[in-house]
């Protein structure tokens, strides 16, 4: 799908049933109508974008289905019992490390990372369990912040560990996964990103896009540049999410001027 740094499905309107002719014989009782199957949701990651000269995807208009994004969450971990926040902190299991972007060249040892599971509310109004890899020094603070997001019912579409193939996948411009550790350089630079040390978190990237010049990431998220049109999942100056991260000493990229990284919180200021 490519990396960044939320429309219910329509249903077909019922067609009018013509009135019976007054000369027609009474109709036999009709079978109970069956409800039409809903049309499928937008398939995230299914439509690669043409590439710009810089290798990123072309910035194209936001599809109508994503202009007020509220896609359902697909569970890959068991949802929490009831509506109480639950979290775990553990060493990164070998199978999770293997499907992550960690490699020996990363600027953090695997033993200095922690694997978190945390409850969150989806845009579908249901509770889910997400996963995240962060620096060991940040684990307790991050689980505390997401507990506050859960209490506020702030919606997240997805929370999972970034895979290696996503670093080189064709750009599709529609990703919206909340994530932390990604072993890659800072955007447009040669030095490591704070994500590569597990010291940064991106929240709902599609709802909170990165911008620099004419670049928008994710590339289909331009509808969310209108910050006066407040929709669920957006981050705004001084809101409870920004304050929650500030309470653990993390800064927000939405306060930057150029680039403006609305999805991004970090312990390092970059």
């Amino acid at each position: 799908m490519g990396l960044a740094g939320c429309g219910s499905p329509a249903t077909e309107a019922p067609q009018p049933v013509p009135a019976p002719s007054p000369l027609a014989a009474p109709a036999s009782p009709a079978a109970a109508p069956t409800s039409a199957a809903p049309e499928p949701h937008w398939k995230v990651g299914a439509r690669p974008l043409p590439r710009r000269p810089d290798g990123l995807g072309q910035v194209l208009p936001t599809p109508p289905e994503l202009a007020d994004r509220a896609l359902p969450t697909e569970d890959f971990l068991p949802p929490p019992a009831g509506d109480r926040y639950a979290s775990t902190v553990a060493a990164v299991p070998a199978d999770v490390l293997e499907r992550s972007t960690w490699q020996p060249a990363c600027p953090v040892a695997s033993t200095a990372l922690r694997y978190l599971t945390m409850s969150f509310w989806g845009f579908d109004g249901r509770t889910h369990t997400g996963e995240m890899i962060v620096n060991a020094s940040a684990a307790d603070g991050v689980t505390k912040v997401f507990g506050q997001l859960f209490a506020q019912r702030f919606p997240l579409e997805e929370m999972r560990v970034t895979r290696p193939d996503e670093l080189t996948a064709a750009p599709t411009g529609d990703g919206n996964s909340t994530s932390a550790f990604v072993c890659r350089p800072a955007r447009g630079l040669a030095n490591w990103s704070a994500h590569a040390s597990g010291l940064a978190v991106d929240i709902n990237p599609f709802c909170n896009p990165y911008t620099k010049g004419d670049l928008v990431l994710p590339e289909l998220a331009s509808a969310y540049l209108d910050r006066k049109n407040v929709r669920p999942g957006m981050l705004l100056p001084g809101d409870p999410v920004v304050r929650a991260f500030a309470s653990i000493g993390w800064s927000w990229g939405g306060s930057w001027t150029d680039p403006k990284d609305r999805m991004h919180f970090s312990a390092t200021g970059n």
Side-chain angles (χ1 to χ4, degrees):
M1 257 184 324
L3 292 173
C6 274
S8 300
T11 53
E12 185 177 349
Q15 299 300 312
V17 178
S21 163
L23 301 179
S28 300
T34 57
S35 57
E39 293 182 12
H41 291 280
W42 178 271
K43 179 64 175 176
V44 176
R47 309 179 190 186
L49 297 171
R51 289 187 184 267
R52 297 161 34 122
D54 59 11
L56 297 169
Q58 289 185 11
V59 177
L60 300 179
T62 303
E65 302 95 320
L66 302 181
D68 188 2
R69 185 166 176 156
L71 302 183
T73 295
E74 181 179 351
D75 287 313
F76 63 93
L77 292 175
D83 292 343
R84 291 188 175 185
Y85 177 70
S87 65
T88 64
V89 178
V92 184
D95 62 323
V96 175
L97 193 69
E98 185 175 357
R99 61 179 169 85
S100 79
T101 59
W102 186 85
Q103 54 182 299
C106 295
V108 62
S110 62
T111 53
L113 297 171
R114 293 293 179 268
Y115 178 65
L116 314 182
T117 65
M118 299 180 289
S119 307
F120 68 93
W121 287 95
F123 286 85
D124 50 18
R126 297 171 50 230
T127 56
H128 304 275
T129 301
E131 62 171 5
M132 185 177 289
I133 296 175
V134 300
N135 195 286
S137 66
D140 290 341
V142 169
T143 57
K144 175 185 174 183
V145 166
F146 279 88
Q148 294 179 53
L149 270 61
F150 187 87
Q152 299 155 13
R153 295 201 173 202
F154 181 85
L156 304 172
E157 184 176 319
E158 185 178 30
M159 185 199 301
R160 61 174 177 77
V161 171
T162 301
R163 304 186 310 270
D165 64 284
E166 293 181 89
L167 297 180
T168 55
T172 61
D174 56 357
N176 202 28
S177 179
T178 293
S179 63
F181 175 76
V182 185
C183 192
R184 63 168 174 79
R187 186 73 58 193
L189 301 173
N191 56 297
W192 290 109
S193 161
H195 286 284
S197 295
L199 291 171
V201 172
D202 287 344
I203 302 282
N204 287 340
F206 197 90
C207 306
N208 303 290
Y210 169 104
T211 51
K212 182 177 177 62
D214 67 346
L215 177 62
V216 181
L217 295 174
E219 295 94 337
L220 296 181
S222 294
Y224 278 89
L225 298 183
D226 179 3
R227 307 308 282 179
K228 294 181 180 178
N229 179 13
V230 179
R231 285 147 284 177
M234 292 173 60
L235 302 167
L236 300 170
D239 73 12
V241 181
V242 174
R243 295 200 308 269
F245 275 99
S247 74
I248 63 167
W250 286 36
S251 60
W252 179 44
S255 64
W256 304 348
T257 301
D258 185 43
K260 189 171 283 291
D261 202 348
R262 299 166 183 85
M263 68 185 81
H264 182 80
F265 293 92
S266 79
T268 64
N270 56 36

